[in-house]
Amino acid sequence: MDMTGAGDRALLDVLCQTADAVWEIDLPRQTVQVWQELDERQKPCVQLPLEQALQRAESRVSPVDRPRWRAVWTQIRDREDPATGGGAELHFLRGTAQCGGTVQWRRCAEGHVWLTARCRAPEADSRLEDEWLCHHFGAMPLPAGVVKVLFDREGHPADLLFCRVNLALCQLLGQKETRQLEHRPLLEVLPEADLLWLRMCHRANTTKRPQHSVRYSQLLHRYLEIWTYPLDGERCGCVLQDVTREVEQEGQLKESWQRQALLLKNTTDAVFQYDLARRTLFMSEGAAQWCRPLPTVPDMPWGLLERGMIQQAGAEALRQVIGHLEAGGESAGCDILARLAPDETFGWYNVTFWRYRDRNSGSWQVMGSFKNIHQEVLRREQLERAAAQDPLTGVYNVATGRRLVKQQLKQHPGGNGRYNALFIIDLDDFKGINDSCGHHTGDAVLQEFVCALQRAFRSGDIVYRLGGDEFAAFIGDLQRPYRVVDRVSRRLLNDLSRENRCGVPVRASIGVFIGCGPLTYEQYYKNADRALYAAKERGKNRVVVVEDNLF
């Protein structure tokens, strides 16, 4: 079917002489009469369905400009005014090469449209492209430009030619003006330059994909970040950035993290995060690389108790710590018996929580740590025992004994049928043993005497050395104090009446005060000491018992 009757035959001749592609579109019938193709100067006069023709046209438009081509076609299809027309700048594909041009359309009567495409001369297109490149890269604050890959006789990439550069790139490469770089090879400007840039440009052109790299330049003594973008078969757009400061800061930050990780590895056993709202303990991100892993534990602290990681007393202690944080406390901690794995035995751990505000979100976050302090606790207990004991006899020293008796008096002051008894025991004629047998024997006698004291009193009673050959013992919360005092005193005196292991006869005088009611330690001690004095006055090797109402 000949569609030219609806158009102008003279116009068609003019269009075919001045345009590279000429279409006559019949919108009502959805067909296209192709009078001239983009790559053919003859007039094929092919009739195609509209959809097929549009796909054919789109394949001849540069992929970058295909959205603009679709916009042009939308205008052609939707305009109803017969006098309207329009046009647009596009890039077309001739084979594998890309060239700039224009597409124009004009609506005629009865739904017919003339569509023409014209390509610019290569010189004009190159000039427009160079102007665009010059403006685009010249306005960039980062070092940028257009370079061309130069090849040697064997066809291998050998150098880069600066086509367009901005002032920032000149300054980066040690040049003052753009004319000192443009149209000059890279190796001429910088003979010892790293050819990574050349390889990136060649790879960008061959793969048609942008390339990116960060490399330290030995020549410039800087870290450079380089992007290359393919423009055509030989040229690339390039953007460079001096990232020396960022890389050094990143290195310093990484080194700082390594130091902190090393510090935490040697000072803590596990680090965790704690969600205050959900009451959930979870492992810190990346913390498993340098400390022991922990499971995610909800319902803290009872979740740790259910998993067998802590004991009931530890759960109560952690509950108080978490409550302190929920009330707004910044840090809290406690020492508990715990284990971080099911196959371990329980040991002492210090558990510490810190609350801090996240700098980015502004929300409150909590982190914490487990630190094994088992050996420290054992050493501390050993030191405490050593500090509390008399070095010669092993019983409590006077300061510890006095403190423990005062605590007992606060808990059990007496009254309502309950009594307390304080014994003061003194060896009879101990000075004579030292003088006749020597201090070594005297020390042995004291040690043997303490064994007799420990046999006479219960393990829960408080036995301590007042000094020299004088000792004290306290029995609290008694219902029948006279019966207890009599039994203990007889047991001790009978034990001493047997032959002593040291071969020296040992005798002792005992003064006992039985108290009932809110009396002080000093009152107990004063009255028991008076009772001891009375036992000495009555001939020694005996016991004298008094009550608080006698003095």
Side-chain angles (χ1 to χ4, degrees):
M1 178 179 178
D2 188 3
M3 297 167 53
T4 57
D8 187 340
R9 178 67 64 175
L11 177 61
L12 175 61
D13 292 338
V14 172
L15 292 176
C16 289
Q17 292 177 8
T18 58
D20 295 277
V22 180
W23 283 12
E24 187 178 357
I25 305 172
D26 188 340
L27 290 176
R29 293 185 174 86
Q30 294 290 295
T31 57
V32 175
Q33 193 83 7
V34 181
W35 292 98
Q36 191 160 294
E37 287 275 39
L38 190 64
D39 288 337
E40 300 176 10
R41 305 306 298 180
Q42 68 273 20
K43 303 174 184 178
C45 192
V46 177
Q47 185 172 329
L48 299 173
L50 179 59
E51 189 65 30
Q52 181 180 348
L54 292 176
Q55 294 176 359
R56 191 167 173 174
E58 187 167 325
S59 67
R60 298 299 181 91
V61 178
S62 170
V64 178
D65 285 344
R66 283 173 187 171
R68 298 179 64 191
W69 156 250
R70 296 187 189 107
V72 169
W73 169 246
T74 301
Q75 289 182 337
I76 295 173
R77 182 191 60 196
D78 295 343
R79 294 265 181 103
E80 297 181 357
D81 185 357
T84 58
E89 286 279 343
L90 294 176
H91 283 78
F92 304 104
L93 295 175
R94 282 188 165 178
T96 59
Q98 178 176 287
C99 59
T102 59
V103 60
Q104 294 180 329
W105 55 273
R106 178 181 177 185
R107 188 180 296 275
C108 303
E110 300 178 3
H112 283 251
V113 177
W114 286 104
L115 182 66
T116 59
R118 294 180 175 85
C119 296
R120 288 189 295 270
E123 297 79 9
D125 194 56
S126 177
R127 178 177 53 79
L128 291 174
E129 182 177 308
D130 285 348
E131 290 177 357
W132 178 84
L133 290 174
C134 182
H135 172 74
H136 179 72
F137 286 108
M140 289 189 68
L142 296 177
V146 178
V147 296
K148 180 179 180 180
V149 179
L150 301 178
F151 297 89
D152 57 18
R153 293 182 178 180
E154 287 76 21
H156 301 133
D159 204 347
L160 289 178
L161 180 68
F162 293 105
C163 300
R164 295 287 183 182
V165 295
N166 65 358
L167 185 59
L169 180 59
C170 292
Q171 294 173 347
L172 178 64
L173 299 181
Q175 308 297 319
K176 295 181 179 180
E177 299 178 355
T178 58
R179 60 184 179 85
Q180 293 179 297
L181 277 184
E182 289 183 348
H183 310 299
R184 294 181 62 190
L186 171 64
L187 294 180
E188 180 182 317
V189 179
L190 300 171
E192 299 179 1
D194 187 355
L195 294 182
L196 170 68
W197 192 0
L198 169 63
R199 293 192 294 271
M200 290 179 61
C201 292
H202 180 60
R203 193 179 303 117
N205 282 337
T206 54
T207 62
K208 305 300 181 184
R209 293 180 179 178
Q211 303 294 314
H212 171 258
S213 180
V214 177
R215 177 70 66 89
Y216 180 75
S217 172
Q218 296 286 353
L219 184 63
L220 301 177
H221 303 291
R222 297 174 182 175
Y223 284 95
L224 297 180
E225 187 169 12
I226 306 174
W227 294 269
T228 58
Y229 306 90
L231 297 178
D232 51 37
E234 295 180 338
R235 295 192 302 173
C236 276
C238 302
V239 179
L240 290 77
Q241 184 174 7
D242 183 357
V243 293
T244 304
R245 183 177 179 182
E246 290 79 359
V247 171
E248 290 178 348
Q249 288 179 344
E250 182 179 354
Q252 293 172 358
L253 181 62
K254 183 177 181 180
E255 184 179 351
S256 175
W257 274 110
Q258 290 175 343
R259 289 197 300 266
Q260 293 180 29
L262 183 62
L263 176 63
L264 289 173
K265 182 178 180 180
N266 289 277
T267 57
T268 61
D269 289 81
V271 176
F272 58 86
Q273 294 287 126
Y274 180 71
D275 191 324
L276 278 171
R278 300 179 180 179
R279 293 191 172 183
T280 299
L281 179 147
F282 57 94
M283 194 71 181
S284 301
E285 183 177 356
Q289 298 178 4
W290 42 265
C291 69
R292 297 185 60 179
L294 291 175
T296 298
V297 182
D299 190 26
M300 281 283 291
W302 314 116
L304 288 175
L305 182 63
E306 292 175 1
R307 288 175 175 265
M309 298 176 67
I310 61 175
Q311 299 176 350
Q312 183 68 37
E316 294 292 340
L318 285 178
R319 184 183 63 82
Q320 295 181 7
V321 169
I322 293 173
H324 177 73
L325 294 173
E326 292 174 341
E330 293 186 0
S331 64
C334 60
D335 296 341
I336 62 173
L337 284 169
R339 58 184 179 184
L340 302 186
D343 57 344
E344 294 180 352
T345 58
F346 280 97
W348 285 102
Y349 282 85
N350 174 262
V351 186
T352 306
F353 292 78
W354 300 275
R355 194 169 70 103
Y356 65 96
R357 189 181 293 277
D358 186 83
R359 185 169 55 183
N360 296 322
S361 64
S363 62
W364 286 102
Q365 305 291 330
V366 176
M367 68 176 298
S369 67
F370 280 87
K371 180 182 178 182
N372 190 316
I373 58 170
H374 190 69
Q375 294 301 322
E376 297 177 17
V377 171
L378 294 183
R379 285 194 296 269
R380 185 170 65 237
E381 291 177 348
Q382 183 179 4
L383 290 174
E384 289 175 353
R385 285 195 299 269
Q389 291 177 344
D390 175 63
L392 176 63
T393 62
V395 296
Y396 291 124
N397 57 33
V398 61
T400 304
R402 185 187 302 115
R403 176 174 55 82
L404 294 176
V405 172
K406 288 182 177 180
Q407 292 177 358
Q408 285 289 318
L409 290 174
K410 286 183 179 179
Q411 295 176 5
H412 307 289
N416 298 323
R418 313 298 292 188
Y419 300 85
N420 299 309
L422 178 66
F423 295 70
I424 297 181
I425 308 153
D426 184 75
L427 293 180
D428 295 333
D429 303 318
F430 181 72
K431 184 177 183 302
I433 296 175
N434 275 334
D435 294 341
S436 61
C437 301
H439 289 282
H440 178 75
T441 301
D443 292 344
V445 168
L446 289 176
Q447 292 170 347
E448 185 65 26
F449 175 67
V450 166
C451 293
L453 283 176
Q454 292 172 336
R455 289 191 293 268
F457 289 91
R458 300 171 301 181
S459 60
D461 298 334
I462 303 171
V463 178
Y464 57 103
R465 185 182 181 187
L466 293 173
D469 60 342
E470 196 172 42
F471 294 81
F474 179 83
I475 305 176
D477 198 28
L478 299 172
Q479 288 183 319
R480 297 177 179 179
Y482 275 101
R483 179 178 296 183
V484 174
V485 169
D486 182 66
R487 183 176 66 248
V488 171
S489 300
R490 287 181 179 275
R491 185 185 304 166
L492 176 61
L493 293 178
N494 290 336
D495 196 350
L496 294 177
S497 65
R498 300 185 182 95
E499 184 178 354
N500 191 274
R501 293 181 186 178
C502 301
V504 178
V506 178
R507 300 292 179 266
S509 299
I510 305 172
V512 183
F513 174 70
I514 299 174
C516 178
L519 301 175
T520 65
Y521 172 82
E522 288 72 18
Q523 289 174 308
Y524 270 87
Y525 182 85
K526 181 179 179 180
N527 291 328
D529 189 56
R530 287 181 178 179
L532 174 64
Y533 181 78
K536 292 283 189 181
E537 288 291 320
R538 295 176 188 179
K540 304 180 182 179
N541 193 29
R542 68 188 64 245
V543 58
V544 174
V545 181
V546 298
E547 291 183 299
D548 56 349
N549 56 4
L550 297 181
F551 296 93

